[in-house]
Structure formats: C-alpha cells, structure tokens
Amino acid sequence: MRIAILSDIHGNLPALEAVVRDIERRAPDEIWCGGDIAWAGPWASECIRFVRDAGWPTVRGNTDVWITGDVQGVADPRDRVELEAMAAEHAIAEDDVRWLLSLPLGHTAPGSILLVHGTPLSPFEGAMPDAPPEDFSSYEGHAALVVCAHVHTAFVRRLSGGSLVCNTGSVGLPKDADTASYLLLDRDGPELTLRHARVAFEREAGRERARAIGGRLGERWLEAVGG
C-alpha cells in the first residue's frame, strides 16, 4: 500500500497543483493532508476548496484554526491583533470555517501509523529535527510511526522508545529548500519505507497575486517568499 502525505500548503495553489501532479504520477492508494491548508497564502479559499473537493483524510493544523478568527495559542496581545486582522482579510466562507473546525486532530491507519499536524497532543507545537530528546517526548507511545508537519522542514527521527517521527515538510512554504516537499509511505506488511519527494513549482505567480491583493496578506507573503 502506498500513501502520499502532504501538508502546510499555506494558500499556495501553484505549489499544491504541482505536488498533486507528481503524486498522481506515483499512483498512491491514498492521499492524506496534514493541515495548514490556507493561512497567509494568495489562494487561501481556492486551496481549501481543492482539499475539500479531493476528499482526502485531513487533520487540523494551527493555522486552520487561526484563519477562522480564533488565534488560540498566541499569548502576545500585539501578535493576536495582527493575526486576527489577517484572518479578517482572508474572509473565508462560513461553510469553510465550519469544515476546518470540524477536522480531527489525528488520523490513524493500520500498522500503527498516526498523522498529526504538530504533535499528538497539540497542533500548535512541533519539534525541529535537531531538537533535544525531551522535545520529542510528546510523540512517544502513540504509534510506531508518527507523521507530522508544522515546522516546514522534512526529516525522519527515531526516538529512544523505538517510535519513528517523520515530518512531511511543506508544500507551500518550505523552509529547507526552494522546492515543495511531501512524503511517500510504502507499506508491505509490517515493513515501512519512507521517502520525501521534492517538487519544483512556479513561484512568480504567487508574488504577482500577493502584490495584487496587497494589505497584510500580500505583505506577509512577499516577506515569506522573498519578493
């Protein structure tokens, strides 16, 4: 069985379309989505619609909550005001709000596989690949393989208890390369093979769209992608 797992699209429709074309070429049995579908991107509503129409098993990310106007997990009052204003600029449809808030925090599959956005305990937290062991304690004891996202960096790390933690990387805002990243998981009985796939995507269209949108959203996107 082959599963393709993508995450952190962040409203980048050209990247999402490029990744899906690559995924379809590899003919997986299932496609999963690890959340953070729309926030801060030039095509927020379009990416939500794409994922909803695809019907993939999808888990809730931190910014899937923020884009609804609920900036939980953010303590600084100034940051809260900024994020609330960005959520208002997104102005996603009420039906999309309800769908995002109904997403589960985790998705499981046979073979002790768990997909979450951040950690098994929270979509608002995550660990970097070189973090100390204690930062991975919340991943222990939940599944033999925990697939996560959130930090926009693809990695695989084996924990002291034997569990594997695998980060998909990001489709729309990768921090570890100029290319989008997603995970291919092949399961043959108890054997698992994990591979990160990298996909180039057209970047200038996002800059042009962001300039046209303007406001906080346009400015934040151009800052994020260097444009």
Side-chain angles (χ1 to χ4, degrees), residues 90-112:
H90 276 300
I92 63 172
E94 283 301 315
D95 187 53
D96 288 338
V97 168
R98 289 189 292 270
W99 179 76
L100 289 168
L101 294 179
S102 73
L103 293 173
L105 294 178
H107 176 71
T108 59
S112 193

Side-chain angles (χ1 to χ4, degrees), residues 113-137:
I113 301 168
L114 171 65
L115 171 66
V116 296
H117 178 72
T119 77
L121 304 180
S122 172
F124 297 94
E125 301 172 357
M128 294 298 291
D130 56 352
E134 56 266 27
D135 287 6
F136 283 89
S137 60

Side-chain angles (χ1 to χ4, degrees), residues 14-186:
L16 176 58
E17 291 174 336
V19 163
V20 170
R21 285 194 297 269
D22 194 73
I23 288 173
E24 290 174 345
R25 180 176 63 84
R26 299 173 188 265
D29 299 287
E30 296 182 12
I31 302 174
W32 299 354
C33 178
D36 276 13
I37 297 166
W39 176 261
W43 290 275
S45 294
E46 291 90 337
C47 286
I48 294 172
R49 178 53 52 191
F50 192 112
V51 175
R52 290 191 67 178
D53 288 348
W56 304 325
T58 300
V59 299
R60 190 190 327 154
N62 61 304
T63 67
D64 299 320
V65 178
W66 291 354
I67 202 170
T68 70
D70 179 359
V71 294
Q72 61 180 278
V74 180
D76 188 288
R78 291 169 297 182
D79 290 342
R80 291 182 63 88
V81 168
E82 174 73 11
L83 297 181
E84 287 169 352
M86 285 185 62
E89 285 190 26
H90 276 300
I92 63 172
E94 283 301 315
D95 187 53
D96 288 338
V97 168
R98 289 189 292 270
W99 179 76
L100 289 168
L101 294 179
S102 73
L103 293 173
L105 294 178
H107 176 71
T108 59
S112 193
I113 301 168
L114 171 65
L115 171 66
V116 296
H117 178 72
T119 77
L121 304 180
S122 172
F124 297 94
E125 301 172 357
M128 294 298 291
D130 56 352
E134 56 266 27
D135 287 6
F136 283 89
S137 60
S138 60
Y139 296 88
E140 292 275 19
H142 295 275
L145 170 64
V146 179
V147 179
C148 59
H150 188 59
V151 298
H152 298 212
T153 301
F155 67 87
V156 179
R157 178 159 167 169
R158 185 173 292 279
L159 307 185
S160 59
S163 296
L164 275 177
V165 175
C166 184
N167 195 296
T168 64
S170 172
V171 169
L173 282 175
K175 292 183 178 179
D176 53 357
D178 289 333
T179 48
S181 174
Y182 71 93
L183 177 68
L184 281 170
L185 188 162
D186 286 293

